[in-house]
Amino acid sequence: DNAHIVFGDDTLRLHGANNRISYNNHDIFHKANKPRFAEDIEGKPNTLSGYGISNFKVETFRGDLNTLKTDGIYSLPTAVGSSNLPVENTACHIQVIAGTQPGWCRQLGYPAYTSDVYERHQVSSANDDWSAWKKLNSDGIPVGAIVSFPKAVRNPAGYLRADGATFAQNTFPDLYRALGNTNKLPDLSRTDIGITAWFPSDQIPSGWLAFDDIRGRVTESTYPELYRLLVAKYGSIANVPQAEDRFIRNAANGLAVGQTQGDAIRNITGKIDSG
């Protein structure tokens, strides 16, 4: 299934089985027989500089990111030995954009195992100053905002429960800064200890105590915070006033919080005119 044409000592050969055309045993490439980069191109460069791109790098890096001003993509497989990272102590990829202008370089950071993207840039070529890393991707809600979810939603992605717990500063650096450089979350899982509330039913909600059950149920082991609060105020749990058959009023006119006031009906005097 082959055919060849001889021109003197030169031969043009048509290989029908594999769509090849060769001239003196050298392939002629065409649409049906495209060259293979790794096999058919002789003397091919194996670096970008071989193609005339001398100021772009794709390489592993370790060190001070302030020194990265050559356009390229850099891999930092470990945070050890590097500084000025997008997220402290976290491996990442860094993309450098300078465009032949290293005096106003820009960096994009991609921390490992996340979809987060950070940006920073030089703010002065004279002093080599850089802006702080800023997270670019978000869901439109400011970092540190408190959002309500139905009880059925237990662990929504991207959120932490405001239950007074602490978190790793390295994992959530933006939240750390938003909370005023603290890694302690606000506790919104309960109201203030000792608060008194009225309910339109005798069914006491979970987490609450009937006021007159305090003396019998509040101990240092069962309700330690409430116990300490009440003992500090009244000296002992037994001294907490009862509310049964009493009206609760505001503290004023010499009446302090926790003080009981006797009835004044017996002090009313007068006469009844029977005529």
Side-chain angles (χ1 to χ4, degrees), residues 91-236:
C92 62
H93 286 98
I94 298 295
Q95 180 180 354
V96 177
I97 305 171
T100 73
Q101 298 294 329
W104 46 285
C105 179
R106 184 179 306 275
Q107 295 178 349
L108 298 177
Y110 307 86
Y113 307 113
T114 74
S115 59
D116 294 337
V117 181
Y118 291 81
E119 184 273 348
R120 74 168 187 160
H121 52 274
Q122 284 184 275
V123 296
S124 171
S125 60
N127 301 318
D128 197 26
D129 293 333
W130 292 77
S131 67
W133 284 105
K134 181 178 181 180
K135 187 177 178 181
L136 299 181
N137 60 316
S138 70
D139 53 9
I141 300 175
V143 173
I146 297 175
V147 181
S148 298
F149 291 93
K151 284 186 176 181
V153 180
R154 295 296 182 183
N155 297 297
Y159 290 86
L160 298 176
R161 292 178 64 87
D163 56 4
T166 57
F167 58 90
Q169 175 186 345
N170 297 340
T171 307
F172 303 99
D174 298 316
L175 180 59
Y176 177 83
R177 290 190 292 268
L179 293 177
N181 294 332
T182 176
N183 67 336
K184 185 175 178 60
L185 294 164
D187 188 359
L188 303 182
S189 61
R190 63 187 186 186
T191 56
D192 289 338
I193 295 296
I195 189 173
T196 301
W198 300 93
F199 297 102
S201 169
D202 56 2
Q203 299 298 315
I204 305 299
S206 176
W208 295 78
L209 293 174
F211 198 94
D212 286 346
D213 287 347
I214 290 177
R215 291 184 181 181
R217 295 183 59 184
V218 175
T219 66
E220 190 170 8
S221 60
T222 56
Y223 299 96
E225 292 176 280
L226 180 60
Y227 179 88
R228 290 192 294 268
L229 176 70
L230 295 176
V231 169
K233 172 64 180 176
Y234 299 106
S236 72

Side-chain angles (χ1 to χ4, degrees), residues 17-111:
N18 53 18
N19 295 315
R20 288 177 57 216
I21 303 175
S22 62
Y23 180 68
N24 286 352
N25 294 321
H26 294 287
D27 281 346
I28 298 176
F29 295 103
H30 51 92
K31 184 175 182 180
N33 183 39
K34 296 179 180 179
R36 294 161 295 183
F37 184 83
E39 300 176 23
D40 297 321
I41 301 179
E42 298 180 358
K44 58 185 178 298
N46 56 12
T47 64
L48 291 174
S49 61
Y51 296 92
I53 305 174
S54 59
N55 59 346
F56 189 93
K57 293 185 177 182
V58 179
E59 61 185 26
T60 302
F61 178 83
R62 175 183 291 184
D64 186 354
L65 265 65
N66 287 357
T67 64
L68 279 184
K69 299 178 184 179
T70 299
D71 293 80
I73 299 174
Y74 301 84
S75 172
L76 285 74
T78 175
V80 177
S82 295
S83 57
N84 295 308
L85 298 166
V87 179
E88 187 178 356
N89 297 327
T90 302
C92 62
H93 286 98
I94 298 295
Q95 180 180 354
V96 177
I97 305 171
T100 73
Q101 298 294 329
W104 46 285
C105 179
R106 184 179 306 275
Q107 295 178 349
L108 298 177
Y110 307 86

Side-chain angles (χ1 to χ4, degrees), residues 248-272:
I248 295 180
R249 59 158 291 179
N250 294 328
N253 297 323
L255 189 65
V257 173
Q259 181 181 350
T260 58
Q261 180 182 31
D263 68 80
I265 295 178
R266 72 193 68 179
N267 298 327
I268 299 176
T269 60
K271 296 180 179 180
I272 298 177

